[in-house]
Amino acid sequence: MSVVEQYARAHIVTDEDVDRLDPAAVPVVLRYDPESDPRAVRIDLPGAHAWTFDRELLEEGLRAPAGSGEVRVWPCGRVQAVVEFHSEQGVSVVQFETKTIMRFLRRTYTATAPVGT
């Protein structure tokens, strides 16, 4: 199976270290490794913050609010989606363009095993 990694830009709102964050979009990495866990996706935020959660949650959250506990996803208007992460250090809210997440999800569903394996 092929690992899918997509670089994206997102707006991050957090209650931790607000002064050091650039108000403009920041780079994040969307990652899917079917060999590690075919049901999970990972989002890497700046500063070595990574969150792994169910891929289905990400997809459901594009249509209606979804999730509970540490990760929540919901649509924000017609063209944006929000992913909210909760930890002992605080809450991070990440806003993406919906088309970025949809493109990433499409790629995860078409990831296939390399030829010859």
Side-chain angles (χ1 to χ4, degrees):
M1 301 291 271
S2 299
V3 172
V4 174
E5 195 167 83
Q6 180 172 318
Y7 296 87
R9 295 193 62 78
H11 292 276
I12 298 177
V13 178
T14 181
D15 60 356
E16 173 187 331
D17 296 331
V18 173
D19 294 336
R20 72 173 174 78
L21 292 175
D22 184 345
V26 297
V28 298
V29 178
L30 306 170
R31 184 175 171 80
Y32 172 71
D33 184 351
E35 290 185 19
S36 174
D37 184 348
R39 295 179 309 258
V41 294
R42 187 174 89 193
I43 296 180
D44 295 335
L45 304 177
H49 299 283
W51 295 83
T52 302
F53 58 97
D54 194 78
R55 174 174 60 172
E56 189 175 305
L57 170 63
L58 187 59
E59 186 172 4
E60 288 175 8
L62 294 179
R63 294 185 300 274
S68 62
E70 294 183 346
V71 180
R72 298 178 185 131
V73 182
W74 67 89
C76 181
R78 293 183 187 180
V79 297
Q80 295 181 330
V82 172
V83 183
E84 183 178 276
F85 303 104
H86 294 256
S87 71
E88 292 178 7
Q89 292 77 34
V91 178
S92 294
V93 179
V94 184
Q95 189 173 30
F96 290 93
E97 287 190 20
T98 301
K99 66 182 179 182
T100 298
I101 295 192
M102 290 174 63
R103 184 179 321 121
F104 170 70
L105 287 170
R106 241 187 337 267
R107 291 180 63 209
T108 69
Y109 286 114
T110 59
T112 59
V115 177
T117 59

